[in-house]
Amino acid sequence: MKYPVRDGLAQAQHSAVHLEMRDNYTPDDPEFARWRAGHRYDNDPTKLPDYWGTWGDLTTETTRRGVVIRRARVVSEPVTDYIKYEHDLTFANVAAGEQVRWLSRRHAADLLLPGTDLWMFDGSSVLFTYFSGAGEVVDREWRTEPTVSALVSAAFEAVWERAAPHEEYKLL
C-alpha cells in the first residue's frame, strides 16, 4: 500500500471525497519550512513544490475522466501556520479540478465526524489515515463495509453543506 490515495483515484469512476480535520501535518516538511521562511506561491504554478507536478497531473487526469473530487477541511480558528500554508497552496488543487471547501471547527461542533482524516472513492471504499500526535502518517486502512461507507458519506456531506468554498473562505 505504497500510494493508496493514488490507487484509489486511478480506480475511481464517479467520485472521490477527502475529509481533512487536523490543524497540522508533516511538521518536518521542507516545503512548509520554506513557506514559513517567507516563500509564497502567489497563484503561480511555476512556484509549486516539486511533488505537486505528479499530484496535479493525477488530479487533472482523474477529473478529466469525469470523477468529481471534493476536499473539505475542518479547521480550528484562529488557524495554524500549517493551515495558512495549505490555504496558500489550494489554488493549485482548484486549478487541477478539485472542489475545495473550508469549515470552522466551531461550525462543525454538532456534527458526528470520523475520528481521523479519510478519502472515500465512489461512495463505497474508504481509506482512513492515522496520524501521530505530531502529524506524521503512521498507518492507513481500507474499509468497504456498507455501514462504514454510509457513516462517512453522511459526515462528509454534512461538512460540505456547511463549508465555504475556497474562494470565499477567509482565514482567521
Side-chain angles (χ1 to χ4, degrees):
M1 187 173 16
K2 189 167 183 178
Y3 301 109
V5 174
R6 293 176 193 279
D7 294 344
L9 286 172
Q11 295 172 20
Q13 296 178 19
H14 307 289
S15 66
V17 300
H18 187 34
L19 182 59
E20 296 180 40
M21 298 181 291
R22 293 186 55 88
D23 290 320
N24 290 292
Y25 295 89
T26 56
D28 297 328
D29 177 4
E31 283 298 324
F32 177 48
R34 274 184 74 213
W35 183 89
R36 287 186 80 176
H39 175 79
R40 293 298 180 264
Y41 303 103
D42 301 322
N43 293 332
D44 182 351
T46 65
K47 293 183 179 180
L48 291 173
D50 291 340
Y51 71 80
W52 179 259
T54 305
W55 178 255
D57 291 346
L58 175 62
T59 304
T60 299
E61 187 276 325
T62 301
T63 57
R64 282 188 184 152
R65 285 194 344 258
V67 176
V68 175
I69 302 176
R70 296 184 295 159
R71 179 184 303 257
R73 293 178 171 142
V74 178
V75 298
S76 298
E77 292 175 332
V79 299
T80 63
D81 281 350
Y82 197 89
I83 295 303
K84 291 175 186 175
Y85 164 69
E86 280 192 329
H87 192 271
D88 191 38
L89 187 59
T90 297
F91 77 90
N93 297 79
V94 173
E98 287 188 42
Q99 299 172 38
V100 181
R101 292 189 181 183
W102 302 79
L103 181 63
S104 165
R105 197 169 310 282
R106 176 178 299 279
H107 294 113
D110 61 339
L111 299 178
L112 297 177
L113 301 175
T116 193
D117 289 15
L118 60 90
W119 279 88
M120 183 167 61
F121 304 97
D122 293 330
S124 60
S125 294
V126 179
L127 177 65
F128 290 110
T129 302
Y130 302 108
F131 297 89
S132 70
E136 303 289 348
V137 174
V138 295
D139 200 9
R140 290 187 170 96
E141 176 185 24
W142 283 102
R143 300 287 297 269
T144 57
E145 302 94 324
T147 54
V148 172
S149 298
L151 290 169
V152 166
S153 181
F156 183 86
E157 294 304 328
V159 168
W160 190 257
E161 171 125 352
R162 291 186 185 181
H166 174 68
E167 305 77 35
E168 297 173 18
Y169 181 72
K170 304 299 180 219
L171 295 174
L172 295 180

